[in-house]
Amino acid sequence: MTLNMDSNTTDKIELDSVKCILSTTDLKGNIKYSNRYFSEVSGYSKEELHGSPHSIIRHPDMPKVMFKLMWDRLKKNENIIVIVKNKAKDGRYYWVKTFFETKYHPITKEPYGYLSIRHAAPKKAIREVEPLYKRLRSIEARQGLDASQDYLIRYLMKEGKTYDEYLNEITEEKNIIIDFFKKQIH
Ligand SMILES: Cc1cc2nc3c(=O)[nH]c(=O)nc-3n(C[C@H](O)[C@H](O)[C@H](O)COP(=O)(O)O)c2cc1C
């Protein structure tokens, strides 16, 4: 009997609820550090990840506007959390709640890179963002990034929330794990 070991590219990777996927990048988003769980989940070795742009795990279902929002916030020295769908080397996907932060040199105070900490996205958050991201992707394909950004702004206005309030509501968790890992890395 032969077993077919090929992964179905539409398969979801189930993440360990207590493990985190960590990475740091330079100012251009090239990976400088990744932890072991990053390699385990993505299927890329440390050697493959280091020096590669972080878009190596970009999933085509992710709207551009979410990365624009993330970069805009980081450049303003504002942390941000984004629910991200990522793509492993074998094509499978996994949803993560990702915390992004800019790193500053302790003496010169100049930004030198970024830190990201991910753990399994809560089911409620995935249910919420999946249709929203689909809509944003389709607007981007037809009308471009500005139209997608306008839609996102109007969506949040209709909800009566800032982006951060919206995120807090759909994730409904305290960031205990993030706080813990930030302390380990500093
Ligand atoms: C610290 C850090 C972590 C990132 N993590 C991811 C990630 O997990 N998945 C992803 O698709 N992009 C991630 N990005 C964003 C990518 O650099 C890139 O902006 C995004 O994948 C969009 O790529 P594109 O502009 O080539 O489409 C990260 C960026 C930084 C600075």
Side-chain angles (χ1 to χ4, degrees):
M1 187 179 74
T2 51
L3 283 175
N4 182 4
M5 298 300 283
D6 287 347
S7 304
N8 184 339
T9 54
T10 60
D11 279 352
K12 180 179 180 186
I13 299 175
E14 292 297 339
L15 298 182
D16 189 316
S17 61
V18 294
K19 283 191 182 171
C20 282
I21 299 174
L22 304 178
S23 61
T24 65
T25 72
D26 62 17
L27 290 172
K28 289 183 177 156
N30 296 313
I31 301 169
K32 280 168 57 183
Y33 164 82
S34 59
N35 71 341
R36 188 184 300 186
Y37 195 48
F38 192 158
S39 287
E40 271 175 46
V41 172
S42 69
Y44 290 103
S45 68
K46 221 167 230 212
E47 291 71 29
E48 285 175 303
L49 290 172
H50 294 185
S52 296
H54 223 305
S55 53
I56 189 172
I57 52 164
R58 191 196 196 301
H59 196 287
D61 289 351
M62 276 304 292
K64 285 187 198 321
V65 70
M66 298 315 295
F67 293 117
K68 179 178 186 301
L69 181 64
M70 178 213 92
W71 281 107
D72 287 350
R73 289 272 293 256
L74 288 180
K75 297 256 158 77
K76 286 193 285 182
N77 186 22
E78 289 172 14
N79 301 340
I80 184 167
I81 293 175
V82 184
I83 303 296
V84 180
K85 185 177 188 177
N86 274 332
K87 189 172 154 188
K89 192 176 181 180
D90 63 9
R92 290 182 298 155
Y93 70 90
Y94 54 98
W95 281 99
V96 276
K97 177 181 169 185
T98 307
F99 169 85
F100 297 91
E101 182 183 85
T102 304
K103 304 300 291 174
Y104 289 86
H105 191 280
I107 297 165
T108 66
K109 311 289 181 210
E110 286 296 312
Y112 66 87
Y114 305 105
L115 161 71
S116 55
I117 306 172
R118 306 168 187 77
H119 62 282
K123 286 195 171 61
K124 180 184 173 187
I126 301 170
R127 271 200 312 274
E128 281 287 331
V129 300
E130 222 171 1
L132 172 64
Y133 286 4
K134 201 171 170 192
R135 183 96 180 100
L136 293 169
R137 286 287 300 161
S138 108
I139 294 170
E140 281 166 19
R142 287 181 288 112
Q143 296 161 270
L145 184 56
D146 287 348
S148 162
Q149 184 161 322
D150 285 350
Y151 182 89
L152 180 61
I153 292 167
R154 275 186 281 115
Y155 182 87
L156 293 170
M157 272 170 67
K158 227 167 94 188
E159 295 272 319
K161 296 181 190 83
T162 63
Y163 174 78
D164 293 333
E165 286 166 353
Y166 171 70
L167 241 289
N168 277 342
E169 191 197 285
I170 65 171
T171 53
E172 271 180 356
E173 283 177 339
K174 290 206 178 88
N175 296 326
I176 297 167
I177 297 177
I178 286 173
D179 291 343
F180 172 78
F181 277 100
K182 276 177 70 183
K183 282 192 191 111
Q184 307 300 303
I185 285 169
H186 277 293

